[in-house]
Amino acid sequence: MFALASGVYGCFAFAGVGFRDSGEIGAAAFRLGVAHPTGFAANMLLFRLAAYLPLGTNAWRQNLAVALTAAAALALVAELTSRLARRTGVTAALPRLAGALVAAAALGAWGTFSSSALSVEVYASALLLLGLGCLGALAAGSRKYWIALGMGLAPSIHMMCALPLLALWLARALPLVQPVRPRVWLVGGVALLCSALLVVYLPLASLRDPPLDWGDPETLAAFWQHLTAARIRAAYAGQMLGAATPPWMVLAAQLGQLWLLLPLAAAGLWLLARAERRLALLAFCLLSLDLAYALWVNPMGVADRQVGQLAGAVVCVLGGLAVARALGRTWSWAPGRPGGLLLTGLLGVWVASPFAKLDLLQSSIWDELHGGGGPLSKLPPRAVLVCYSDDVCAGALFALHADGVRPDVAVVAAQHLWDPVTVRSLTGLSALARWGGVPAPPAGQRPARVRAALAALLETGVPRPVRWESDEPLRASGLQASLTTSSSVPFLRAHPDLPDSGHARQHLVKLDRLRTARLGTCVPRSRLAQHAWAATYGRFARGALGEQHLTTALLALERAITLAPDRPQAWTNLGLVHARAGNLRAALDAYQRALELDPSRAAVWVNLIALELSAGDSTGARRALELALDLGIQDRRLQELRSRLYRHEPTSPLDRTERKP
């Protein structure tokens, strides 16, 4: 299983930097710096060792290390399934092998696991550590101390491992029928202490003042805050320890992708309870702990598949146990052997088939968006890139600090402009100098500090050119009017004046040339890059529409729809352009297409109803209004239109463009 999974994951490992935090973690490891909490000291050293491989790019070397780690985790899942099958009475080798194959194939093809197995992430190593702990819980003799060793390694890999490992330790070291021996606690304590020393990497790395030094954990207080992720918990305090509906639904949908194994897992839990009740209770405890962590401790990671790996592994192991037990029952019956093996093979192919459909196999995503030949190469000398999203920040940081692209520029997250460590790295920006030695403000004051820092960067006489990834952090600050689309797409630049309105068409031509030069083809291969470029054209169209350049806005929106026809924002704005041009039929078609893609957008309903009223179709306007109200659309403008509609007052289309990409 290890050899098979290594071959598959090794072939599909990304050639470039991966999603979300991959670039930031990889760049921090390459420069032996400090990544975001909880630091991941063991992973930092592993990824740095992988950089010495004389093969491929820096990103691919690190991704290969993750792929091998994930393959080892799948091998442990197969081994645990086989051992549990033996504990429940399956003595034949082939039935246990078949159950192990089904369990590992299902987990390996599951999107939540494979997303952390193809590019730099820490969840595969966390699952590997938990697998070693489970193996130690099933083993006899000195191997049970693997659990204590794992508990010591947990802070250097991921703190989500600590609680499940503690449950495994208690289940193994405190059997109800035997007294606790002092040797168990002594040897386990020594193993825990020795492995826990690995976290000393964090303050030692911070003392070097590396380019990436998240939290500056040089003091004992900062070190503890980093290990406990106090800064992240404070930022997401409103989402923790709650019971919001979306995380429940998203996590249920992700686990539902294992729908074929869910009834088998229930049967496997029942079989395990009949054979060894304590092991069944332990499996249920691990499943419950991981689901509780996903929903109440880290619900913000559900959508990005950053949680739930342990729960999925438990489901797959129990499902594989049920398969092994069912095949073991028919193994003594000779005609049932080939049929059982055939059904098991078909089941394994079925559960592994989702891997071929994953969007994650598109290795061109980051080369098209933020790679070495991407926007960083278009920045002016000594520019400061203020990024906003995790993807852009991580990709730019990796290109800068690992690949050595544009060492003259600086990359900083917009949300961290209040951070003294970040401010100290922005040499030459006197507007931020007054915050260089100020301690971190309370969580509630950080948005105001970010707005003040953004305003300072927009002051006249800034010695370094500033580029912005997005206007998202500027909306609440009232600084959005100070941004215009720049040639360093998809970034924006700070400018006190609006661009020359007479050159909108020329700017669109430059944008087309830049896209062709960047990609080599007219349409990006990856879905994420398609949406990024479509959003760029959408921003350009909104600017042209604001200057009454309807033809240019129409051309930009047509390009956006060609790139990503499933984005409702582009269809909404296309309808608005057609309405202003007097093409009411085309505007109605565009609004209806936007509602087909997402019927929950109030702006589209408002524009559609107002357009039908302006066209004299009061019957269609009433029908659309009633449908919007039946769908539960809550918007003050709908109530205003309703009062005007039933008073038969004329109205005109409302200019409501959509800005969120």
Side-chain angles (χ1 to χ4, degrees):
M1 179 53 61
F2 175 74
L4 178 63
S6 297
V8 172
Y9 285 152
C11 289
F12 288 106
F14 287 175
V17 65
F19 296 94
R20 296 295 183 267
D21 300 327
S22 299
E24 182 253 333
I25 295 175
F30 190 84
R31 300 297 294 269
L32 286 179
V34 180
H36 70 274
T38 56
F40 324 117
N43 294 281
M44 294 291 101
L45 297 175
L46 173 64
F47 298 150
R48 187 65 187 91
L49 288 174
Y52 289 106
L53 291 174
L55 299 171
T57 63
N58 291 326
W60 183 81
R61 298 172 190 178
Q62 295 180 348
N63 296 339
L64 182 62
V66 177
L68 296 177
T69 304
L74 291 181
L76 281 178
V77 166
E79 178 68 17
L80 289 170
T81 305
S82 177
R83 293 198 180 195
L84 286 177
R86 181 184 289 275
R87 299 280 282 264
T88 57
V90 182
T91 57
L94 281 179
R96 291 188 284 110
L97 178 61
L101 176 63
V102 169
L107 182 62
W110 188 35
T112 301
F113 180 83
S114 58
S115 63
S116 60
L118 300 176
S119 62
V120 170
E121 268 298 357
V122 299
Y123 306 109
S125 57
L127 191 61
L128 174 63
L129 187 64
L130 290 171
L132 288 173
C134 292
L135 198 64
L138 292 178
S142 60
R143 293 184 180 179
K144 60 190 175 184
Y145 301 120
W146 290 0
I147 307 174
L149 189 66
M151 291 177 63
L153 287 174
S156 62
I157 293 182
H158 202 291
M159 289 299 292
M160 62 169 284
C161 307
L163 199 57
L165 285 169
L166 179 60
L168 290 172
W169 171 259
L170 294 177
R172 189 65 182 90
L174 298 176
L176 300 179
V177 296
Q178 298 179 3
V180 180
R181 293 177 296 177
R183 182 172 175 269
V184 172
W185 296 105
L186 178 61
V187 178
V190 172
L192 188 150
L193 180 61
C194 293
S195 56
L197 289 177
L198 198 59
V199 298
V200 178
Y201 162 87
L202 296 176
L204 292 178
S206 181
L207 286 171
R208 297 173 51 250
D209 290 329
L212 294 177
D213 190 8
W214 187 304
D216 200 19
E218 298 180 8
T219 65
L220 184 60
F223 175 64
W224 177 250
Q225 289 180 358
H226 200 79
L227 280 182
T228 57
R231 178 166 156 183
I232 294 180
R233 286 188 290 105
Y236 291 96
Q239 301 182 37
M240 297 174 62
L241 300 179
T245 302
W248 280 92
M249 298 176 62
V250 174
L251 185 61
Q254 293 174 5
L255 290 174
Q257 295 173 356
L258 298 171
W259 63 271
L260 194 61
L261 286 185
L262 290 176
L264 294 176
L269 185 63
W270 178 73
L271 291 172
L272 191 60
R274 291 188 59 185
E276 294 194 34
R277 185 172 301 176
R278 190 176 64 170
L279 290 180
L281 181 61
L282 183 59
F284 182 77
C285 179
L286 293 178
L287 179 65
S288 302
L289 284 174
D290 193 61
L291 292 178
Y293 171 81
L295 294 174
W296 288 298
V297 178
N298 189 17
M300 68 290 299
V302 173
D304 294 332
R305 295 183 179 270
Q306 295 180 342
V307 292
Q309 283 84 356
L310 177 58
V314 172
V315 169
C316 292
V317 168
L318 293 176
L321 172 61
V323 171
R325 183 64 182 272
L327 194 58
R329 286 291 185 91
T330 61
W331 194 248
S332 58
W333 181 46
R337 295 183 183 182
L341 289 177
L342 178 62
L343 288 176
T344 304
L346 293 176
L347 183 62
V349 173
W350 178 270
V351 299
S353 60
F355 186 79
K357 304 176 183 178
L358 291 176
D359 292 339
L360 301 171
L361 304 187
Q362 304 181 60
S363 59
S364 61
I365 290 176
W366 300 112
D367 291 336
E368 295 173 343
L369 281 178
H370 320 302
L376 285 186
S377 63
K378 305 296 182 181
L379 292 176
R382 300 185 69 247
V384 177
L385 171 60
V386 183
C387 53
Y388 177 72
S389 65
D390 292 343
D391 294 330
V392 174
C393 288
L397 286 171
F398 192 89
L400 175 63
H401 296 298
D403 290 338
V405 177
R406 296 301 306 274
D408 61 306
V409 305
V411 178
V412 59
Q415 302 92 323
H416 296 174
L417 283 175
W418 56 266
D419 192 340
V421 177
T422 298
V423 173
R424 287 199 300 268
S425 67
L426 299 178
T427 57
L429 289 181
S430 58
L432 298 179
R434 59 180 177 272
W435 288 316
V438 178
Q445 300 178 11
R446 290 172 187 172
R449 182 71 66 83
V450 169
R451 288 194 293 270
L454 291 173
L457 285 178
L458 288 174
E459 292 176 354
T460 57
V462 174
R464 298 180 66 177
V466 181
R467 295 293 185 268
W468 314 86
E469 172 209 345
S470 168
D471 58 359
E472 282 285 339
L474 302 178
R475 292 179 186 174
S477 62
L479 301 173
Q480 191 173 353
S482 300
L483 297 181
T484 59
T485 306
S486 75
S487 60
S488 57
V489 177
F491 302 134
L492 307 175
R493 62 186 173 94
H495 198 281
D497 302 318
L498 294 176
D500 184 4
S501 60
H503 298 83
R505 186 67 175 269
Q506 289 84 340
H507 290 320
L508 180 60
V509 173
K510 291 180 180 179
L511 183 58
D512 291 336
R513 290 176 179 173
L514 176 63
R515 178 165 64 106
T516 303
R518 283 272 308 281
L519 304 177
T521 58
C522 293
V523 178
R525 290 171 290 174
S526 65
R527 178 182 174 86
L528 187 59
Q530 292 168 7
H531 279 249
W533 280 95
T536 298
Y537 278 107
R539 288 197 297 268
F540 185 91
R542 289 198 304 271
L545 184 61
E547 299 173 8
Q548 301 302 317
H549 290 280
L550 299 184
T551 303
T552 304
L554 180 62
L555 291 174
L557 288 172
E558 288 176 350
R559 286 164 172 73
I561 291 174
T562 301
L563 288 164
D566 57 342
R567 295 184 72 251
Q569 299 91 337
W571 288 100
T572 304
N573 297 334
L574 180 64
L576 181 57
V577 172
H578 280 306
R580 287 193 180 182
N583 192 352
L584 301 184
R585 183 67 263 172
L588 288 174
D589 292 341
Y591 287 147
Q592 290 170 359
R593 177 57 178 159
L595 291 177
E596 289 176 3
L597 294 171
D598 187 358
S600 65
R601 296 181 177 273
V604 188
W605 287 105
V606 171
N607 287 353
L608 176 63
I609 297 169
L611 183 64
E612 289 180 336
L613 280 175
S614 65
D617 187 4
S618 58
T619 303
R622 288 192 182 94
R623 184 167 54 249
L625 178 61
E626 292 173 358
L627 182 57
L629 296 177
D630 290 341
L631 290 174
I633 306 298
Q634 301 292 332
D635 194 284
R636 176 182 54 81
R637 296 167 293 174
L638 287 178
Q639 300 301 327
E640 294 175 357
L641 286 172
R642 182 180 183 182
S643 62
R644 294 180 182 180
L645 179 64
Y646 286 99
R647 290 201 309 265
H648 304 284
E649 292 185 5
T651 186
S652 60
L654 300 181
D655 297 341
R656 303 292 182 182
T657 61
E658 292 195 296
R659 296 181 178 274
K660 286 189 176 181

